[in-house]
Amino acid sequence: MTQRIRAAVRGHEVVAGLLVAVALGLILLAVPRVERLVLLVGAASVLVLAVLLIERFVHGEPELTWTTSSGTPARVRGHDRRITALTRAIEASRRGDLVARATVQDTLRSLARDRTDLGPDLTAYLNATNPPDVDAARLDAHLTELEEH
């Protein structure tokens, strides 16, 4: 029973204290003979309210920590369908799939669209009408060049 009361009051200690004070005041006005008992209960409830408030302010609030992340969990690989599709296209292009080679080349073109001063090797790859076969090391070099520019 006390756990249910604590759960209901948690976070609303001031409101609960005011409700108890109003209830005790109404009882005191309605039945003047229980004046001392009501004052004793009222004093005890004020004391309990004070203890609850002190406990809440001292122990109830967790320590605030600041992070640089937005609070969203990091995505695991394969969660973003675009990256999964591009990964499959790269793997297929390495196996000789011409459509996948064109997809990889188009993706790199879109990344390079606003960049200038690209190296001759990357420029030749991006301007080729038929996408050449690119191994993993060369693709990594192209991506690194795009990141640097």
Side-chain angles (χ1 to χ4, degrees):
M1 173 86 173
T2 59
Q3 289 178 349
R4 272 195 262 161
I5 292 173
R6 283 184 186 171
V9 171
R10 188 168 308 269
H12 306 286
E13 288 86 1
V14 174
V15 174
L18 289 174
L19 288 175
V20 169
V22 167
L24 290 174
L26 290 175
I27 292 171
L28 183 62
L29 288 174
V31 185
R33 293 184 184 238
V34 292
E35 179 178 324
R36 288 185 182 175
L37 178 63
V38 171
L39 288 176
L40 180 64
V41 171
S45 66
V46 168
L47 181 64
V48 168
L49 176 64
V51 169
L52 287 175
L53 286 174
I54 290 170
E55 189 263 334
R56 177 182 169 127
F57 289 128
V58 172
H59 299 292
E61 297 297 321
E63 182 178 325
L64 183 63
T65 57
W66 295 92
T67 62
T68 57
S69 68
S70 64
T72 58
R75 291 185 175 189
V76 294
R77 186 172 184 173
H79 183 71
D80 191 340
R81 292 182 182 153
R82 297 171 298 179
I83 294 174
T84 303
L86 183 59
T87 302
R88 289 182 182 152
I90 291 170
E91 291 170 358
S93 72
R94 291 178 62 202
R95 290 191 302 264
D97 185 353
L98 296 178
V99 174
R101 284 183 190 172
T103 301
V104 171
Q105 186 185 36
D106 288 341
T107 302
L108 288 180
R109 277 185 188 149
S110 69
L111 292 172
R113 188 170 294 137
D114 296 331
R115 292 175 172 82
T116 57
D117 300 329
L118 298 176
D121 190 30
L122 179 57
T123 304
Y125 171 75
L126 295 175
N127 293 330
T129 54
N130 291 327
D133 185 21
V134 179
D135 62 350
R138 181 155 312 237
L139 184 61
D140 188 43
H142 290 333
L143 290 172
T144 300
E145 187 174 345
L146 285 172
E147 288 174 344
E148 291 174 353
H149 292 286

